[in-house]
Amino acid sequence: MAVADRGRALALLAGTQFVLLLDTSIINVAAPSIGESLEISPAALSWVANAYLVSFGGLLLLSGRAADLLGQRRVFVAGLGVLAAASLLGALAGDAGLLIAARAAQGVGAAMAGAAAFALLLTLFPEGPERHRALGVFAAMAGAGGAAGTVLGGVLTSWLGWESTFALNVLAGIALMLPVPRLLPAGGAAGARQGFDVPGAATVTAGLALLAYAVVNAGEAGWGSTATLATGAAALVLLALFVLVERRAAHPLVPLSVLGRPSLRLANILAALWQMSLFPMFFLVSLYLQAVLGQEPVLGGLALLPLCVVVIAVAGRTDRLIARFGLRAVMGAGFVLVAAGMAWQSLLSSDGTYWVDVLPPSLLLGVALPLVSITTNIAATLDTREEESGLASGLVNTSLQFGSVIGLAVLSGVAAAVTGASAEARGPALTDGFGTALLVGAVPAVLAALLTLRLRLPAPPVAGAPEHQRTAS
């Protein structure tokens, strides 16, 4: 494929990443209007957001492997189609049940499209500086999508109603599907030549979905509640059963030899850790701006745009930093900056200002985000062959998704607990809660910085070389 064609293909895949991250955050701003319009209880309203997270997190691994077995472009287009159809259902929903079902279906489409998009990127861009630049664009669009979701959620809900936040996905899905035949390779389907591991697919999907359910439900029911413990235990049983199934399967969904690669395992852990720190930060800072400083939702979203600009600028230069200083050095520096930025961001004041309390640390975090996101993605996909690109995509995306879900559940719980225990007035109590949660959010980054020292990166795979000839550097 020509360079210009690969550039257009990257724009399509990065645009998909933008839409999927936008869809994760846009609903948070629209939720109050949805609850008022459809008379949804607060408990049911929380599942308008959580249903998406459960199905998205539960199906990423299966979707990535399906892209390998059934064809990456085929799964990508199918995912966009499901996302668009589910979004149309959501826009037309007249009750809580139908809306939650639509959000769950959106998560299914997002898992398929997201995993396949990442796998297509790995296929189109070979290991080296070109792939690093492509991953930089992906990281930039992820940051832009998260910030844009907050802004667009406020604008669209205020001007056109909450239904427009779903209608936007319908238009985006169609727009992304139209150029696919011209820009993306059709590729082969390995599934035609080997069997499909149905028991493995069933156990891992159910296990991951139940695990996601347990984590997001913990925010409502509590970590020690019967519902949380029961669903968490069931998830662990299913995931253990999945491992047993994979040991015996003739054509395993996830070959255990892949999971046995130390660099791949550690890189996925590091990917989850940076999401645990940074994903909740957007939510907590947005709440601080609105609930404490009294900003409108739209202004609260716009306040994060400088961070987004920094993310885009740094992401475009991260490949040069990696080439000069090495992948592990850039990754370690990124995690140190995340820890420092979260600690700085925790110094919030109840009578503070955006310019003093939020903007400076957010710019530091904007520098850190692409450093950790790009390097962990590279490390998590370095020790994989082309036919494993979908599997690698599913693994790292699952790690990122569960990192964000766990981080948000834990840090939101910390903020609520500290605020509830405070004897201060509402503003100072909320500030104490947000500040403590952000400081706790620095802990995963510190742990990740230490784990980076243990990361031993494999040599880039040589085309056509058998796996045993790949040596660790």
Side-chain angles (χ1 to χ4, degrees):
M1 180 181 287
V3 174
D5 290 336
R6 282 205 303 271
R8 286 189 285 270
L10 175 60
L12 172 62
L13 298 175
T16 302
Q17 180 79 342
F18 176 88
V19 170
L20 299 184
L21 268 293
L22 180 146
D23 200 43
T24 301
S25 59
I26 196 171
I27 200 69
N28 293 328
V29 182
S33 295
I34 293 173
E36 182 178 350
S37 174
L38 299 183
E39 298 182 350
I40 301 176
S41 68
L45 187 61
S46 70
W47 281 102
V48 174
N50 292 342
Y52 179 89
L53 297 176
V54 170
S55 57
F56 193 8
L59 285 166
L60 273 167
L61 183 55
L62 175 60
S63 297
R65 195 56 174 152
D68 287 334
L69 300 177
L70 305 177
Q72 295 166 356
R73 192 176 80 174
R74 183 180 300 169
V75 173
F76 178 72
V77 173
L80 289 176
V82 171
L83 180 65
S87 299
L88 179 60
L89 178 64
L92 300 175
D95 58 69
L98 192 58
L99 187 61
I100 292 171
R103 284 290 289 168
Q106 278 186 317
V108 174
M112 295 169 65
F118 195 88
L120 282 162
L121 181 145
L122 298 181
T123 299
L124 289 170
F125 297 92
E127 171 55 36
E130 193 174 12
R131 177 181 288 183
H132 299 173
R133 285 191 291 272
L135 288 171
V137 173
F138 237 55
M141 295 307 285
T150 306
V151 178
L152 284 174
V155 171
L156 291 176
T157 301
S158 299
W159 293 355
L160 301 175
W162 64 264
E163 295 89 349
S164 61
T165 63
F166 286 85
L168 178 65
N169 270 333
V170 180
L171 299 176
I174 294 172
L176 291 168
M177 282 190 286
L178 289 176
V180 166
R182 292 185 293 105
L183 297 181
L184 299 182
R193 300 187 297 275
Q194 67 180 58
F196 190 78
D197 179 16
V198 175
T203 51
V204 74
T205 301
L208 289 174
L210 276 177
L211 184 60
Y213 177 90
V215 172
V216 299
N217 192 55
E220 295 289 328
W223 289 96
S225 69
T226 301
T228 300
L229 295 176
T231 51
L236 294 178
V237 169
L238 283 169
L239 293 175
L241 181 59
F242 166 70
V243 173
L244 295 177
V245 168
E246 297 306 275
R247 289 182 183 277
R248 299 173 180 271
H251 303 288
L253 183 73
V254 181
L256 296 182
S257 60
V258 174
L259 296 180
R261 299 170 191 168
S263 59
L264 182 144
R265 287 202 311 269
L266 184 51
N268 276 273
I269 291 171
L270 292 170
L273 287 172
W274 80 255
Q275 276 285 71
M276 285 184 194
S277 288
L278 286 176
F279 183 82
M281 181 275 299
F282 288 93
F283 176 73
L284 294 169
V285 169
S286 180
L287 284 180
Y288 167 75
L289 290 169
Q290 295 178 51
V292 178
L293 299 189
Q295 293 190 3
E296 293 295 323
V298 174
L299 294 177
L302 289 171
L304 296 173
L305 285 183
L307 178 150
C308 185
V309 172
V310 173
V311 168
I312 294 172
V314 175
R317 293 166 174 79
T318 301
D319 62 311
R320 301 177 198 170
L321 295 175
I322 294 172
R324 181 172 180 180
F325 299 105
L327 182 68
R328 193 169 61 176
V330 174
M331 182 189 295
F335 278 117
V336 169
L337 291 178
V338 171
M342 292 295 288
W344 188 3
Q345 189 73 87
S346 72
L347 303 176
L348 300 173
S349 171
S350 59
D351 56 355
T353 66
Y354 164 74
W355 302 104
V356 173
D357 292 69
V358 174
L359 181 62
S362 74
L363 295 180
L364 179 61
L365 291 170
V367 173
L369 192 155
L371 299 184
V372 294
S373 64
I374 294 170
T375 54
T376 52
N377 277 339
I378 292 171
T381 56
L382 189 60
D383 197 15
T384 54
R385 297 186 295 270
E386 182 176 340
E387 65 271 19
E388 297 171 341
S389 58
L391 173 59
S393 165
L395 286 170
V396 71
N397 276 294
T398 299
S399 299
L400 292 168
Q401 183 67 13
F402 274 90
S404 65
V405 170
I406 293 170
L408 185 58
V410 171
L411 296 194
S412 296
V414 169
V418 172
T419 297
S422 176
E424 299 284 346
R426 182 175 184 273
L430 287 171
T431 303
D432 288 344
F434 297 145
T436 303
L438 289 165
L439 185 59
V440 172
V443 174
V446 172
L447 176 60
L450 296 174
L451 288 175
T452 300
L453 300 175
R454 298 178 57 86
L455 184 64
R456 297 292 180 266
L457 296 171
V462 179
E467 185 173 345
H468 71 272
Q469 292 183 6
R470 284 187 263 171
T471 57
S473 60

